[in-house]
Amino acid sequence: MNTFARNLDMLHRALDVSTVRRQVIANNLANANVPNFKRSVVNFESELKRALNTESQRPVMELSLTHPDHIPNFKERDYRDVEIRRVLDYASTYNNNGNNVDPEQEFMLATQNQMAYTLYAQAAAFEFSQVNQVLRG
């Protein structure tokens, strides 16, 4: 896959993650006063990083598999297979009613997410402007 297509695909996925994250944060805020409600978080970037790292971490010696049930010592992950996961935070409690939503933290996360979304959109526009310059020139 060429660099332009890969960059655009990654930006598209980042925009999708930001959209899901906005929905999760909005749901957390909407349920901030519900007893025993547990907030959700979006887990994507760490899994994407692991998948991208497998591209450069091929072992010096790969084992050959002689049977379909054998377990390989290395399996490269395609970054396009990484899914956006919503994870419940059961470990913490913020209120005495069992709810763990801290509105101030959620608003901060919403602001960070909006800034990231804007950055990703600007980066995608830049990629297209580069192609546009090449086509005009």
Side-chain angles (χ1 to χ4, degrees):
M1 180 182 288
N2 66 30
T3 304
F4 172 74
R6 183 179 168 120
N7 286 348
L8 210 53
D9 187 41
M10 296 283 273
L11 288 168
H12 181 260
R13 292 174 61 79
L15 288 166
D16 287 345
V17 169
S18 288
T19 301
V20 171
R21 187 168 280 131
R22 183 191 57 172
Q23 294 166 350
V24 167
I25 291 169
N27 184 55
N28 290 344
L29 284 169
N31 292 289
N33 294 322
V34 175
N36 297 317
F37 177 82
K38 298 300 180 186
R39 69 186 291 271
S40 296
V41 293
V42 174
N43 183 355
F44 178 76
E45 288 82 358
S46 59
E47 286 299 314
L48 178 63
K49 184 175 188 215
R50 281 191 200 110
L52 291 173
N53 284 343
T54 64
E55 294 175 359
S56 61
Q57 293 178 343
R58 187 171 294 278
V60 176
M61 180 172 62
E62 272 189 74
L63 302 176
S64 65
L65 307 177
T66 57
H67 190 274
D69 291 337
H70 287 169
I71 301 172
N73 69 328
F74 175 76
K75 183 178 182 209
E76 186 173 334
R77 280 183 70 190
D78 189 350
Y79 75 91
R80 294 170 288 200
D81 294 335
V82 176
E83 297 290 327
I84 302 169
R85 291 182 36 218
R86 298 172 192 213
V87 181
L88 283 175
D89 177 8
Y90 285 109
S92 64
T93 301
Y94 176 72
N95 294 325
N96 290 336
N97 65 1
N99 187 309
N100 66 351
V101 177
D102 178 359
E104 190 172 310
Q105 180 186 7
E106 296 297 327
F107 282 119
M108 182 199 63
L109 292 172
T111 302
Q112 287 177 340
N113 187 55
Q114 181 58 47
M115 290 169 57
Y117 186 92
T118 302
L119 180 68
Y120 300 144
Q122 288 174 347
F126 176 77
E127 289 289 329
F128 282 115
S129 73
Q130 294 294 97
V131 171
N132 200 10
Q133 276 186 326
V134 169
L135 293 176
R136 285 185 183 173

